[in-house]
Amino acid sequence: MVSIDKQRKPPAHPFSKIPAIFMGNLQRSWATVLRMNLKRHWVGYAWAVGAAAACTFVGLVMYPRFDLVNVAMVYLLAVVIIALRFSRGPAIAASVLFVAAFDFVFVPPRGTFTVDDIQYLLTFAIMLSVGLIISRLVKSVRRQAAAQAALEIEAETERIRSTLLASISHDLRTPLAVMAGASSSLAESGERLSAAERHALAKSVFDQAQEMSEHVAKVLQMTRLETGAIKVDRDWASLSEIVGAVLARLGERMAAHRVIVELPDDLPLVRVDATLIEQALGNLLENAAKHTPPATVVRVCAQRRGEEVIVTVQDYSAGLSDRDLERVFAKFHRGSVEGAGAGMGLGLAICRAIVRLHGGQTWAERVPGGGTAFRFTLPLEEAPSAPLELASN
Amino acid sequence: MAEPRPAILIVEDEPEIRRFLRTAFGVEGYRVVESATGRRGSIDAGTHKPDLAIVDLALPDVDGIEVIRRIREWSPMPIIVLSARVQERSKIEALDAGANDYVTKPFGIGELLARVRAALRHAVRSPSGTSILRFGNTVVDLEKRTALRDEEEIRLTPIEFRLLAMLAKQLGMVVTHRHLLTVVWGPTHEKDTHYLRIYMKQLRDKLEIDPVRPRHLLTETGVGYRLVLDE
């Protein structure tokens, strides 16, 4: 009847659905609920049955010397334990089982479910109540703990979000302000400016736009790395090629520093996503350029150590504090001494995330003689055979 | 002024980007045809017969890659792709579909103009390519198969010559790993990127002054290589 009703007129009001669902539920509720409950908590039910047997055994040992009340106490303890450990279903099952066992084995007349003395009914009621109360308490405590954990995660997400927003708004607003100012000067009083002034204004718009684009790309990249949206596309790559490409890409940003590249000639090929590793290395180099005075040396080197390759970008900064060394690769870490051009603190976190995706590690260490080495490792795989011509030539 | 001004087709949906491209190319003496959609672009390519097409990959109606395919069905005109997508994949797909080069947004106009000049030069020279390549103090003659560094001969292997010739054929433009591997080693070696890594290192060691910071045999990470000669 319900189904005909449903066919004839599609639910005009959401409430019209409720009776149908409700009625359908009533018919299969008990069997289904019990089956599902059994399936989910079978361990708890097994424990209830096991505990009933164990308690009965203990009771039988106690019986000649102890009062019946004390035997009941053993069952009660077991109910409490089951209720604490498992959900309501097993607790109820345990209570019922224990009452039945207690009644059958110990309560006179023994060997039957008949009860001579009305007071044992009270024992049964108490046992069942204790089981229900405890399991209910446990449930609410668990729920509170889960809610607390969720709150903490939310607070942490919120903290990250607000830091992110703060850094975005700082790092994006400054270039935007420059761009708006410089371009409006050009638009409104361009003809009164000298060619050199016009050029300088236009150049600063371009530079700031590029910087902003870099920032946005980093935020996007970090988000994609964190959400696992990045697929690592591994292929054979040469570290010296990656270093060359990175230096070409960074161009002007590294121009103020003296970059020294030291790569052994027999450095093996690595199987990596070259685009990602180029980013990781680029971020390390940018970091070095940002945090050290111009004209100082930045050293890029790589060496093989066993089954991995260690890539190092070393600068000659004042050196980081122990705390900074530890935290420098964390997200939004900006260093204790913050400069104007400190950036968002995402570069090294992106580097770490990329290296992790490749199964490598990142760390920073002080170098004897001054400066900091930022290192990462890449696992080596067995190199494929070289093309034939190599042998003949 | 006797030489006709080269015509450039711009297929791009963002009017602001079309505007600055129109201005910049206009100043450089190019004629500009604009299409705001992919379908319009494919038609305009046929009716205006431009010397070069610039195609944005993210178009509202059809994919930029589809536009490239349609143009390639009938014309060898150079195509440069504007890609806002950071993913290398779409660039490579566009190059495999027949595009000759790409510029990633946001780009400076200098970069795009350089790519356009290289592509137009290539169109004039093609298909023979250039046979004499100058790398600073080294001169390679692809036809005679000789290489001289400061008048002294350097030995290049046959594969090294072939690799150089393939790059020279698309001088100034990017050539994908896949293309190089299929043409130089054959279709069965399409995925053997390590061959390329090894041979490019050898070539750089022989031809570049500083092999780690190459000025001619440039790496396009994740995409391919580009041969650039001194102007």
Side-chain angles (χ1 to χ4, degrees):
Chain A
M1 168 148 173
V2 169
S3 58
I4 293 170
D5 203 54
K6 265 172 88 180
Q7 272 178 1
R8 201 172 290 161
K9 45 171 189 178
H13 189 274
F15 288 129
S16 64
K17 265 186 162 174
I18 285 178
I21 293 166
F22 189 63
M23 281 176 73
N25 245 6
L26 262 187
Q27 281 161 1
R28 57 187 165 124
S29 62
W30 270 110
T32 320
V33 167
L34 194 66
R35 202 179 327 124
M36 279 170 60
N37 200 300
L38 268 172
K39 208 171 179 183
R40 259 178 58 197
H41 304 291
W42 68 271
V43 182
Y45 288 108
W47 268 89
V49 173
C55 289
T56 308
F57 177 75
V58 172
L60 282 172
V61 175
M62 288 164 69
Y63 187 61
R65 273 156 287 173
F66 289 84
D67 243 11
L68 213 50
V69 181
N70 288 317
V71 176
M73 284 300 160
V74 173
Y75 283 108
L76 194 61
L77 180 65
V79 167
V80 170
I81 291 171
I82 299 256
L84 275 177
R85 184 85 177 62
F86 304 103
S87 64
R88 204 172 56 164
I92 295 173
S95 307
V96 172
L97 265 175
F98 292 177
V99 166
F102 180 56
D103 180 7
F104 191 80
V105 181
F106 299 104
V107 177
R110 294 180 68 192
T112 67
F113 284 109
T114 12
V115 182
D116 273 357
D117 198 336
I118 197 82
Q119 64 167 326
Y120 289 110
L121 285 180
L122 185 65
T123 316
F124 304 158
I126 289 178
M127 215 179 274
L128 191 63
S129 315
V130 167
L132 285 175
I133 291 169
I134 301 262
S135 62
R136 191 182 185 137
L137 273 175
V138 168
K139 196 172 181 185
S140 88
V141 166
R142 276 200 193 123
R143 201 175 282 163
Q144 272 174 21
Q148 187 63 35
L151 266 182
E152 269 162 29
I153 291 172
E154 204 171 297
E156 174 66 10
T157 318
E158 191 48 46
R159 195 188 63 77
I160 291 178
R161 193 178 297 148
S162 58
T163 322
L164 185 63
L165 275 180
S167 61
I168 290 179
S169 57
H170 173 265
D171 286 320
L172 296 189
R173 251 188 222 145
T174 315
L176 273 174
V178 175
M179 283 156 69
S183 55
S184 61
S185 310
L186 277 175
E188 277 157 35
S189 41
E191 67 273 24
R192 279 176 283 141
L193 297 170
S194 71
E197 285 166 328
R198 279 202 302 270
H199 180 260
L201 284 175
K203 177 90 170 54
S204 85
V205 173
F206 181 51
D207 290 346
Q208 295 294 322
Q210 274 192 320
E211 189 156 313
M212 224 170 100
S213 154
E214 286 289 321
H215 282 325
V216 173
K218 285 210 171 92
V219 172
L220 284 179
Q221 184 73 341
M222 192 72 237
T223 320
R224 281 160 60 211
L225 281 164
E226 285 198 330
T227 53
I230 286 193
K231 201 181 140 275
V232 182
D233 198 1
R234 284 172 192 262
D235 204 345
W236 290 104
S238 122
L239 278 168
S240 71
E241 235 173 42
I242 292 176
V243 170
V246 135
L247 291 176
R249 174 167 65 85
L250 292 181
E252 241 176 78
R253 267 171 286 171
M254 295 305 297
H257 288 76
R258 221 156 71 74
V259 182
I260 297 177
V261 181
E262 285 162 357
L263 301 170
D265 212 41
D266 58 349
L267 201 63
L269 294 178
V270 282
R271 226 172 90 73
V272 296
D273 187 320
T275 320
L276 291 178
I277 295 300
E278 203 216 272
Q279 268 175 32
L281 188 63
N283 289 358
L284 286 185
L285 280 165
E286 273 182 293
N287 177 70
K290 233 181 259 171
H291 295 285
T292 58
T296 55
V297 168
V298 175
R299 200 179 291 275
V300 187
C301 38
Q303 78 237 35
R304 184 181 184 151
R305 190 186 64 182
E307 289 313 293
E308 58 186 12
V309 143
I310 308 180
V311 182
T312 305
V313 171
Q314 187 189 335
D315 62 36
Y316 288 83
S317 58
L320 295 176
S321 68
D322 286 338
R323 198 183 128 76
D324 279 344
L325 280 179
E326 227 167 81
R327 298 191 36 104
V328 75
F329 278 99
K331 198 166 34 165
F332 301 126
H333 180 81
R334 284 175 180 238
S336 323
V337 231
E338 196 174 320
M344 283 193 289
L346 279 179
L348 294 187
I350 289 175
C351 171
R352 164 164 286 183
I354 287 174
V355 170
R356 266 193 197 152
L357 275 180
H358 284 83
Q361 284 162 339
T362 40
W363 74 96
E365 58 189 82
R366 261 192 299 272
V367 179
T372 315
F374 295 83
R375 305 188 199 272
F376 66 85
T377 59
L378 292 172
L380 283 175
E381 283 177 38
E382 202 178 323
S385 58
L388 268 179
E389 201 201 30
L390 280 181
S392 67
N393 194 51
Chain B
M1 269 297 161
E3 222 171 275
R5 298 188 299 159
I8 292 181
L9 170 70
I10 297 171
V11 190
E12 159 73 63
D13 59 316
E14 294 289 339
E16 288 296 321
I17 291 184
R18 284 208 307 275
R19 187 215 300 276
F20 93 76
L21 289 179
R22 179 171 63 222
T23 317
F25 282 115
V27 169
E28 295 293 320
Y30 295 98
R31 266 188 308 127
V32 174
V33 181
E34 295 175 41
S35 320
T37 64
R39 268 192 209 96
R40 191 71 240 161
S42 312
I43 297 167
D44 286 344
T47 48
H48 292 268
K49 302 257 181 335
D51 297 286
L52 178 144
I54 294 175
V55 179
D56 182 30
L57 277 190
L59 291 167
D61 53 343
V62 289
D63 200 310
I65 291 170
E66 189 51 40
V67 178
I68 297 167
R69 282 204 192 98
R70 285 186 202 171
I71 296 178
R72 271 292 167 268
E73 277 169 17
W74 59 272
S75 166
M77 76 171 78
I79 301 175
I80 294 175
V81 160
L82 299 184
S83 119
R85 305 173 192 176
V86 202
Q87 250 77 31
E88 303 300 306
R89 215 164 300 255
S90 62
K91 282 183 209 166
I92 298 172
E93 225 180 294
L95 293 169
D96 282 339
N100 300 71
D101 213 335
Y102 64 87
V103 176
T104 310
K105 286 181 186 173
F107 52 86
I109 194 69
E111 193 186 349
L112 180 60
L113 284 171
R115 297 266 180 279
V116 167
R117 276 196 297 268
L120 286 174
R121 264 202 305 263
H122 157 77
V124 173
R125 263 196 224 115
S126 200
S128 59
T130 334
S131 66
I132 301 214
L133 311 173
R134 280 172 210 285
F135 302 82
N137 53 352
T138 307
V139 182
V140 178
D141 189 326
L142 291 174
E143 253 163 54
K144 289 193 208 143
R145 298 219 155 197
T146 56
L148 293 175
R149 177 173 225 162
D150 295 324
E151 311 297 318
E152 241 172 86
E153 198 179 331
I154 330 173
R155 278 195 44 161
L156 295 188
T157 70
I159 285 188
E160 286 167 359
F161 269 116
R162 261 214 309 256
L163 201 53
L164 259 187
M166 280 321 299
L167 289 165
K169 221 169 162 180
Q170 311 247 52
L171 193 61
M173 285 179 285
V174 68
V175 188
T176 61
H177 295 141
R178 202 174 101 176
H179 186 75
L180 286 171
L181 284 165
T182 2
V183 176
V184 177
W185 281 277
T188 50
H189 293 288
E190 195 190 284
K191 297 238 176 335
D192 290 331
T193 326
H194 59 287
Y195 284 24
L196 273 178
R197 305 297 182 210
I198 292 166
Y199 273 89
M200 286 309 287
K201 179 176 166 14
Q202 287 175 199
L203 271 177
R204 283 184 179 132
D205 284 345
K206 289 179 186 175
L207 301 175
E208 294 279 0
I209 293 169
D210 181 356
V212 179
R213 285 180 233 215
R215 290 182 45 225
H216 307 286
L217 294 158
L218 308 182
T219 310
E220 294 282 325
T221 308
V223 180
Y225 294 94
R226 187 193 295 278
L227 175 62
V228 177
L229 296 182
D230 299 325
E231 299 263 319

